[in-house]
Amino acid sequence: MNDTTSQDARIIDATRQWLEKAVIGLNLCPFAKSVYVKHQVRLRVSHARHLDAFLEQLDEELEFLAAADPDAVDTTLLIHPTLFPDFEPFYDMVGMAEEAVREHDLEGVLQVASFHPRFQFEGTQPDDIGNYTNRAPYPTLHLIREASLEKALATYPDPEAIYERNIETLEKMGREGWQALGIPSAEGRPEDSPKDSPEDSPKDSPESGQ
């Protein structure tokens, strides 16, 4: 196994631990388990050296997912371990990713959710536990099928309450409880020492994140 393959395996393993222990384990997304256990989640690690190359890879992943059989690949996580260490430039890139969906005429077909080790919602402090609903080991774009999300929401009672319930869950467990999950952090960016983020942090609710 070469160094790149070994590194990718570690990144994917950390992401799987986050999915299993937090997203599914804490039921942060009630819809994640079904596609995960059916092996319908595509995990891709990007090695793009600059933003343009990453956006080109995003274009490829959008086209791939739109053309794929949902029974084989329902959703995609595109992960970059090094290109977006800080949240502000990552958040700027998310806007470009959303524009890419429109450019590919996939609005209403696919949507993008975002996760970052330093994710911060607007109006919160960096260490607010609620930010952890969208904190992953590495900067990650989640490409979601609108049809799959709508189908899942239609069968879930009171989907509007998911975000509030997640905040309540995290507040009960606290930072120590989160850290006790043992989810790996990106090297050099431990979860217990977040940076300050800009005031114009995203307003997205994380219920569509997985």
Side-chain angles (χ1 to χ4, degrees):
M1 182 180 290
N2 61 40
D3 289 344
T4 299
T5 303
S6 177
Q7 181 187 40
D8 285 1
R10 289 194 298 271
I11 292 166
I12 289 174
D13 178 69
T15 301
R16 287 191 181 278
Q17 288 192 53
W18 166 67
L19 288 170
E20 293 169 5
K21 296 178 180 180
V23 177
I24 296 172
L26 299 178
N27 202 31
L28 297 180
C29 176
F31 326 123
K33 184 177 180 179
S34 61
V35 294
Y36 187 74
V37 300
K38 294 176 184 175
H39 307 288
Q40 295 171 333
V41 180
R42 175 177 168 91
L43 298 168
R44 302 291 289 175
V45 178
S46 173
H47 300 283
R49 296 187 178 183
H50 50 76
L51 177 60
D52 287 347
F54 180 77
L55 292 174
E56 287 178 5
Q57 187 169 8
L58 171 63
D59 288 338
E60 295 171 0
E61 291 299 327
L62 288 169
E63 293 292 342
F64 176 90
L65 185 60
D69 180 353
D71 290 335
V73 181
D74 187 81
T75 192
T76 298
L77 295 179
L78 179 58
I79 310 157
H80 202 303
T82 59
L83 191 59
F84 307 102
D86 297 319
F87 182 60
E88 183 176 4
F90 175 77
Y91 180 45
D92 291 340
M93 180 276 296
V94 171
M96 299 177 193
E98 292 170 343
E99 179 60 30
V101 172
R102 292 187 285 272
E103 290 174 354
H104 285 266
D105 294 323
L106 293 172
E107 195 168 19
V109 178
L110 302 179
Q111 66 173 252
V112 179
S114 56
F115 300 88
H116 191 278
R118 302 188 184 283
F119 196 100
Q120 184 178 352
F121 287 106
E122 182 180 27
T124 67
Q125 296 300 312
D127 59 351
D128 283 358
I129 191 66
N131 292 319
Y132 283 73
T133 61
N134 280 52
R135 288 195 177 178
Y138 298 95
T140 300
L141 292 181
H142 182 197
L143 311 184
I144 306 165
R145 293 182 188 272
E146 293 268 8
S148 297
L149 181 60
E150 290 172 3
K151 182 178 178 181
L153 288 171
T155 61
Y156 189 82
D158 197 15
E160 293 81 9
I162 294 174
Y163 174 67
E164 288 76 12
R165 189 207 63 215
N166 287 346
I167 298 297
E168 182 179 353
T169 296
L170 290 170
E171 286 177 345
K172 286 181 178 178
M173 69 187 302
R175 291 280 298 284
E176 290 185 1
W178 176 270
Q179 291 167 4
L181 295 175
I183 300 169
S185 300
E187 292 182 2
R189 295 187 291 278
E191 291 177 354
D192 58 356
S193 59
K195 285 185 180 181
D196 291 337
S197 294
E199 292 182 359
D200 59 343
S201 299
K203 301 179 182 179
D204 322 35
S205 292
E207 62 262 30
S208 62
Q210 280 296 330

